[in-house]
Amino acid sequence: MPKGIEYLRRKLATKKPRADLRYRYYEMKKYAPAIDTTMPRELKTMISVMGWCTAAVDNLADRLIFREFRNDDVDIAYILKKNNQDILFDAAVLGALITSCDFAYIREGTEVPAIEIISGCDATGVMDMSTHLLTEGYAVLERDQKSGKPLLEAYFTPDSTTFFPAGEEPYTLPAPGGVIGLVPIVHRPDAKREFGRSRISRACMSYQDGAIQAVRKSEIAAFFYSYPQRYALGFDTEDGFDRWRASMSAMLTIGRDEDGALPQLGQFPQQSMAPYTDHLRMFAGLFAGETGLTLEDMGFPLANPSSPEAIKAAHDVLRLKARKAQRSFSSSFRNVAYTAVCIRDKLHYDRDVVAELKPTWEPIFEPSATQYGMIGDAIFKINTASPGYIGPETIYDMTGIAPEGGAVSGGEGGHNAGALAGYFEDLPGESEE
């Protein structure tokens, strides 16, 4: 039973504030308020920003580079090529890491289906947990830049798509291929959160807010560190003592008082910045542990430069998170390919048509020159013991070095009609046209 557009509007209204909040953290537009009650009012308005949440997202997103679909019998490569594949998937990965889920909006185009990435702030739906496709969806396709009010909404069902222009009558178009043209691209889904989890967790936001407070306090302390407080005993407050000259002058002449005694001058102990640095380092360690980064990634460089092998070993947790993200996105990208093929051919295929599609990714860490030699030795020994066990495709995945002539996947001239000819014969009730 469909839940309807009103239900989905309410659902998006409840999820959008949290997605917008995470985007503000990523864009470094979320300012942590001052919580110290002893801080002067003038200093509470001091703005301090940090890019730790940005670094947490970018460090993972920059390592998730989608390469191609292997075993491409449906010619999805041509559709992706016409839709700027490099920008398309990079935008989808980045947005999904921030909001936990972005959406691919797929519609009919002039030559091939057009694919557009919609932020998780502007779309939602009801998910089929077995396929991770939507049974119905809702998206705000256009918003007013100033007020944020929707100018064009769309409600998706397997049979049709209804558009709601602001101030105009809604209109309905049939769904080509009998599929919903809104596909979720999810980061780390599970049984409780089918739309995934954001890379910017609650802990990340809390640690960054704490670090901003530490930076703000250190900036205030820096004023007293730069200009240490001094004191003078034995002066009459009305004797014209120039406090500014006493603080800044390199040479100060002080005469005796009426009784012939010299005033006593002194300086309070200078404040140390070390406690604030340690406090900030503590938050950096907590944030690094939450995200799989290192203290070097957080702006605390080590004394000795690390080798490529040491850097890779230090980022082992990040590597595991990247592998998990690749598995999640691979399933979502396969769903994008399935929907695009159905819309292109205007036929409702079974999902088995993309069962053999294998999404491939660039190596998470590029091997160093030393590692290339070690990989070569390992491949030689394995293939000597079991001839042909490791082939060019596996070497390509391990090293990121394409074989001579480059990797070939899919067609270059358009839809490969012959690739699906055998599939039509197995579909009951489907036409071969």
Side-chain angles (χ1 to χ4, degrees):
M1 183 68 181
K3 295 183 179 294
I5 186 173
E6 292 301 329
Y7 167 81
L8 295 179
R9 279 174 175 163
R10 292 193 300 269
K11 182 178 181 180
L12 181 61
T14 59
K15 301 296 183 182
K16 180 175 170 56
R18 298 296 298 178
D20 288 337
L21 175 64
R22 282 168 168 81
Y23 257 107
R24 290 201 298 274
Y25 271 94
Y26 177 77
E27 295 170 349
M28 292 177 280
K29 294 181 179 179
K30 178 64 172 65
Y31 306 125
I35 58 176
D36 192 348
T37 57
T38 63
M39 190 180 299
R41 180 180 302 176
E42 295 79 5
L43 298 180
K44 285 185 178 181
T45 59
M46 182 184 300
I47 296 177
S48 298
V49 296
M50 301 194 72
W52 285 1
C53 287
T54 307
V57 173
D58 289 345
N59 267 275
L60 184 57
D62 292 344
R63 299 185 184 278
L64 299 175
I65 304 174
F66 180 80
R67 180 190 295 158
E68 62 183 357
F69 284 107
R70 206 165 282 164
N71 304 328
D72 184 11
D73 293 333
V74 295
D75 204 11
I76 187 61
Y78 185 69
I79 298 177
L80 299 179
K81 179 181 177 182
K82 292 294 183 178
N83 281 279
N84 296 322
Q85 172 181 325
D86 294 337
I87 299 177
L88 181 75
F89 285 123
D90 281 355
V93 167
L94 181 64
L97 291 177
I98 296 173
T99 64
S100 80
C101 178
D102 264 17
F103 293 83
Y105 171 42
I106 309 171
R107 63 185 186 277
E108 289 185 288
T110 55
E111 183 182 357
V112 297
I115 306 176
E116 175 186 349
I117 300 301
I118 298 179
S119 169
C121 305
D122 292 323
T124 187
V126 179
M127 184 177 290
D128 181 349
M129 292 300 295
S130 63
T131 62
H132 275 258
L133 290 166
L134 299 181
T135 59
E136 56 182 315
Y138 166 75
V140 178
L141 303 181
E142 186 178 353
R143 286 186 183 273
D144 183 84
Q145 294 295 328
K146 294 183 178 180
S147 65
K149 294 182 178 179
L151 298 179
L152 179 61
E153 302 169 277
Y155 175 63
F156 300 84
T157 65
D159 300 324
S160 63
T161 303
T162 304
F163 296 91
F164 297 84
E168 301 179 17
E169 289 295 323
Y171 59 94
T172 302
L173 298 177
V179 293
I180 292 178
L182 193 66
V183 182
I185 300 173
V186 190
H187 172 242
R188 297 180 69 92
D190 55 39
K192 185 177 181 180
R193 292 180 176 266
E194 65 271 20
F195 286 97
R197 298 178 181 274
S198 171
R199 173 78 167 154
I200 305 176
S201 64
R202 289 181 174 86
C204 290
M205 294 186 286
S206 175
Y207 296 151
Q208 178 167 308
D209 287 345
I212 289 176
Q213 298 290 350
V215 170
R216 181 183 285 116
K217 292 177 182 178
S218 68
E219 289 175 348
I220 295 173
F223 290 111
F224 300 99
Y225 182 81
S226 302
Y227 299 98
Q229 289 184 309
R230 300 179 176 87
Y231 62 86
L233 303 177
F235 271 106
D236 188 351
T237 57
E238 298 180 357
D239 62 357
F241 180 67
D242 191 340
R243 294 180 176 84
W244 179 255
R245 187 168 60 88
S247 299
M248 302 301 295
S249 177
M251 180 66 68
L252 184 64
T253 303
I254 300 176
R256 296 179 180 271
D257 60 12
E258 297 178 354
D259 300 329
L262 286 173
Q264 298 180 10
L265 303 179
Q267 175 179 308
F268 289 107
Q270 194 170 22
Q271 188 175 13
S272 173
M273 297 298 292
Y276 302 100
T277 304
D278 294 341
H279 194 195
L280 183 61
R281 191 183 183 94
M282 178 197 73
F283 280 115
L286 293 172
F287 192 96
E290 175 70 18
T291 58
L293 303 179
T294 65
L295 286 179
E296 284 188 299
D297 299 324
M298 309 308 299
F300 291 88
L302 299 178
N304 298 320
S306 300
S307 64
E309 292 79 8
I311 293 175
K312 185 175 180 180
H315 287 88
D316 189 60
V317 175
L318 182 65
R319 180 184 62 83
L320 296 177
K321 291 180 180 292
R323 289 292 186 196
K324 173 61 177 178
Q326 284 181 349
R327 293 193 295 272
S328 302
F329 291 137
S330 293
S331 177
S332 297
F333 291 168
R334 193 180 292 110
N335 284 338
V336 171
Y338 165 71
T339 304
V341 169
C342 290
I343 292 177
R344 178 194 64 191
D345 298 343
K346 297 183 176 60
L347 287 172
H348 183 67
Y349 297 119
D350 189 84
R351 286 187 75 249
D352 291 344
V353 74
V354 295
E356 298 301 322
L357 279 182
K358 181 183 178 183
T360 59
W361 303 78
E362 298 293 343
I364 297 173
F365 293 94
E366 294 183 359
S368 63
T370 304
Q371 289 175 320
Y372 281 130
M374 297 171 62
I375 292 173
D377 291 341
I379 292 173
F380 175 77
K381 293 177 181 178
I382 292 174
N383 281 347
T384 300
S386 180
Y389 186 81
I390 298 180
E393 288 185 349
T394 304
I395 297 175
Y396 187 16
D397 294 338
M398 294 171 63
T399 64
I401 301 176
E404 188 68 25
V408 179
S409 178
E412 292 292 334
H415 172 35
N416 183 4
L420 295 175
Y423 179 76
F424 290 132
E425 299 175 357
D426 299 331
L427 283 178
E430 291 285 358
S431 171
E432 295 185 4
E433 297 179 359

